[in-house]
Amino acid sequence: MRPESEMVRLASEYAHAEFSYAEVGATRDGAVPAGYERIDYSWRLGSGADLLERAAQDVLIWFMHSRANTYPISSAEAAEPGSNILLQQRLFGFAVLAPCRVVWTSTDGPERGFAYGTLEGHPEVGEEAFVVAMQEDGEVSFRVSGFSRPAPGLPARLRPITKGLQRRAIRRYHRALTSAL
């Protein structure tokens, strides 16, 4: 892994980076724009308002990402629109950097979470939303949804690897969140 000081320096380099896709915010309505693959995973966490509060807090303050070994460096202590996050994952001994920017948050009510979109330099193009929701019957669930496709210039033979990394990260987010509750 890269030292944290280097990650902070790298994160600052993405402060003015552009989104790598045009459909910024599309996850807010659950839309999957043409030309992207759907991301949609959901798990039941349990029930009760206390669980909703704890799970939402863990999602919003990057705790889930930290425990999932994605080594986040963020420009804000909690997810907020416009904040940047630089994620780092290991792949065959190499560090893969994934710069993102938060596009929306929901911090109160029965659905809480955020979505981030990819910035130039990310191996994927698209958006992911992380939402903890409580139904009327008190059941609490965690959902990861969004859309993605390979970044331009990424060789087609690497697509299975990037999809595998994405699925692995999502499974780790789920495990990290449930183990903390």
Side-chain angles (χ1 to χ4, degrees):
M1 288 301 168
R2 294 173 191 237
E4 187 169 334
S5 60
E6 183 179 352
M7 289 290 287
V8 170
R9 181 188 60 75
L10 284 168
S12 68
E13 290 179 12
Y14 289 99
H16 302 290
E18 298 291 326
F19 283 105
S20 58
Y21 63 107
E23 303 85 354
V24 176
T27 54
R28 189 64 154 161
D29 299 320
V32 177
Y36 292 90
E37 292 182 34
R38 174 181 295 278
I39 301 165
D40 197 8
Y41 298 88
S42 183
W43 299 272
R44 180 186 178 278
L45 297 178
S47 62
D50 183 55
L51 178 63
L52 172 68
E53 294 291 334
R54 290 190 332 262
Q57 180 72 5
D58 285 352
V59 168
L60 289 164
I61 66 167
W62 309 114
F63 181 75
M64 173 189 69
H65 282 77
S66 295
R67 288 189 50 109
N69 297 324
T70 55
Y71 308 101
I73 298 293
S74 176
S75 63
E77 288 184 28
E80 58 185 54
S83 62
N84 291 327
I85 182 165
L86 183 60
L87 303 170
Q88 180 178 216
Q89 289 189 30
R90 302 290 294 174
L91 176 63
F92 305 119
F94 295 97
V96 177
L97 298 178
C100 301
R101 182 169 296 132
V102 176
V103 296
W104 60 261
T105 59
S106 178
T107 58
D108 57 4
E111 290 190 355
R112 302 182 191 178
F114 70 95
Y116 54 46
T118 60
L119 299 176
E120 295 294 333
H122 194 294
E124 293 280 317
V125 172
E127 203 167 284
E128 282 184 333
F130 305 89
V131 176
V132 177
M134 187 167 70
Q135 308 306 314
E136 288 183 18
D137 65 0
E139 289 296 310
V140 178
S141 62
F142 171 58
R143 183 174 188 181
V144 179
S145 60
F147 53 91
S148 70
R149 66 179 179 216
L154 186 73
R157 69 181 179 278
L158 294 181
R159 180 62 176 156
I161 294 171
T162 60
K163 286 302 290 179
L165 278 175
Q166 186 177 51
R167 283 191 303 273
R168 183 177 81 171
I170 291 169
R171 285 192 306 270
R172 285 182 173 181
Y173 297 150
H174 171 240
R175 281 195 308 269
L177 185 59
T178 56
S179 70
L181 302 173

